[in-house]
Every structure is written in C-alpha cells, then in structure tokens.
Amino acid sequence: MAKGVKPRVKVPKSASAGEAITIKTLISHKMESGQRKDDDGNVIPRSIINRFTCDFNGENVIDVTLEPAISTNPYFQFDATVPEAGDFKFTWYDDDGSVYEETKSIAVG
C-alpha cells in the first residue's frame, strides 16, 4: 500500500435478509489532478484514485469511475440490499497501478 493511503469502511455487523443498509467508505489519498505546478513551475503529475468498486459475495454493488475533479480523500455513502450473510469487498484503483482492498463481513439474523 502506498504511503499515506488508507481505506476506511463502515458496514453494519448484521442485518435482516432483504434489508437495505447504508455503507460508508473513505480513502485517505491526495488526489493530485495533474493541473497544479510545484514551487519550481513543474507540473505535478496526476495521481488519483480512478475507480472504486464494491462487490457482495462476488456480485457487483457499485462501480464508480473517478475523474481529476474529485476532492482529496474521496468519500462514498450508498445503500445496498443484503440478501444473505456474506462479505463486502471494497476496491480502490490508483493511477500508479496500486490497488487498495478492504473486506467487511455482515451477518444475517
């Protein structure tokens, strides 16, 4: 994992079958657009999280393409229906080829 990049995810520990839950994600990332210059006048290379996905038990829940206008430390909040107990897998893709992953389990009761 690149220095300073840290994903955080909040998923309820349990839900009823068929219940819609709210998921919150945040990744600490500078999100450099490639439009700014450093103190010497050199363009600072683009470095952004360019894609975010969430899957539940292998099925896609959300797939987002991000552009340079996204702010530092991208935050997502979305709802997902939980049909059964399982795992949410969150994946962030960086311009530099890095991939950051986090998995959270949810029980159905």
Side-chain angles (χ1 to χ4, degrees), residues 62-102:
I62 191 170
D63 190 335
V64 180
T65 300
L66 291 90
E67 301 294 337
I70 299 294
S71 69
T72 299
N73 305 326
Y75 170 83
F76 289 98
Q77 178 176 316
F78 56 96
D79 293 337
T81 301
V82 181
E84 60 197 11
D87 295 324
F88 283 98
K89 179 181 176 188
F90 304 90
T91 309
W92 295 262
Y93 299 87
D94 200 318
D95 276 348
D96 69 6
S98 297
V99 176
Y100 313 102
E101 296 180 330
E102 185 77 27

Side-chain angles (χ1 to χ4, degrees), residues 11-23 56 80-86 88 105-109:
V11 174
K13 294 190 186 313
S14 65
S16 300
E19 180 180 354
I21 61 165
T22 298
I23 296 171
F56 180 72
T81 301
V82 181
E84 60 197 11
F88 283 98
S105 297
I106 189 166
V108 168

Side-chain angles (χ1 to χ4, degrees), residues 1-82:
M1 188 175 298
K3 183 178 178 182
V5 178
K6 180 183 176 191
R8 296 188 335 201
V9 177
K10 185 174 182 182
V11 174
K13 294 190 186 313
S14 65
S16 300
E19 180 180 354
I21 61 165
T22 298
I23 296 171
K24 299 176 183 180
T25 74
L26 174 77
I27 187 163
S28 299
H29 192 282
K30 63 186 174 182
M31 299 293 283
E32 186 57 61
S33 70
Q35 304 294 318
R36 296 184 325 124
K37 293 183 179 181
D38 64 18
D39 293 337
D40 296 324
N42 301 311
V43 173
I44 300 170
R46 178 179 133 153
S47 175
I48 69 167
I49 298 294
N50 58 52
R51 185 173 175 217
F52 167 71
T53 63
C54 173
D55 296 330
F56 180 72
N57 288 347
E59 294 289 322
N60 184 254
V61 175
I62 191 170
D63 190 335
V64 180
T65 300
L66 291 90
E67 301 294 337
I70 299 294
S71 69
T72 299
N73 305 326
Y75 170 83
F76 289 98
Q77 178 176 316
F78 56 96
D79 293 337
T81 301
V82 181

